[in-house]
Amino acid sequence: MMDDIFSGLMILLEQLIRLFQLVGLPIFSVLMIVGFLLLLTSGKNPRRKKMGYVFIIAFGVLTLLIAYAPLLGHSIFGVKPLEANGDETVENMVDAAGEIGPMLFKGVWYVSIPVVFTMFYFGLLVRLSAAKNPQRRRLGLGMMIFCPVVLLAAYVTPSLMNML
């Protein structure tokens, strides 16, 4: 009876950790990138600069915590790893993951096109709405110039990865 409850709680804990890793890791990583963007675009605004630093530190620590805390907890408090059945080789793992890569790169390509064009038009809007503010004019121009670079990186990276 007690073993069934304990095994059920362990399965629940493992599923919660898995949920945190599947959902929390991308969210916290994106929020850390938002912190970098806030820091880069803050200029002389101390409030925005502080918010960028807080986002980078807090969400960076949470990202690493979610990614590595289960591994450290298992290595310290967990049981010995299970023995291999014979088909857990590196070649089998790479072959199993080989189908995911092209789909992921195609998804990045389909997501990057609207994001890049939106960023370009937003940079154009910032550039045209900055009357005599040279910092805002440079920010808008930088966003407009950076868009083709991002689109090129999103297009070339899958081709380079497929060549390797």
Side-chain angles (χ1 to χ4, degrees), residues 6-148:
F6 182 70
S7 65
L9 286 175
M10 286 304 293
I11 291 172
L12 178 68
L13 180 67
E14 289 170 1
Q15 292 300 319
L16 282 174
I17 290 171
R18 182 173 177 230
L19 176 69
F20 283 140
Q21 285 181 335
L22 289 175
V23 175
L25 203 59
I27 290 174
F28 290 151
S29 300
V30 166
L31 287 174
M32 187 177 67
I33 292 170
V34 167
F36 277 117
L37 291 175
L38 282 172
L39 186 63
L40 290 173
T41 61
S42 66
K44 292 184 180 180
N45 189 348
R47 199 178 235 175
R48 199 167 186 185
K49 195 175 284 191
K50 180 183 176 184
M51 192 177 0
Y53 281 129
V54 168
F55 268 47
I56 290 170
I57 292 170
F59 291 117
V61 167
L62 285 173
T63 301
L64 291 174
L65 184 70
I66 286 178
Y68 292 111
L71 178 66
L72 292 174
H74 186 356
S75 66
I76 293 171
F77 301 113
V79 295
K80 190 169 70 170
L82 297 175
E83 295 295 325
N85 294 339
D87 60 344
E88 287 93 2
T89 61
V90 174
E91 290 85 9
N92 288 339
M93 290 168 46
V94 170
D95 290 342
E99 301 168 1
I100 298 170
M103 292 188 308
L104 180 68
F105 284 136
K106 190 174 289 262
V108 166
W109 178 244
Y110 286 137
V111 168
S112 67
I113 292 173
V115 168
V116 165
F117 282 111
T118 304
M119 190 168 81
F120 178 80
Y121 287 123
F122 187 70
L124 184 65
L125 180 70
V126 168
R127 171 96 171 132
L128 294 176
S129 67
K132 292 189 178 191
N133 189 350
Q135 183 178 2
R136 286 190 54 129
R137 291 177 70 107
R138 283 191 299 265
L139 178 67
L141 187 63
M143 289 173 68
M144 290 168 42
I145 291 173
F146 189 60
C147 288

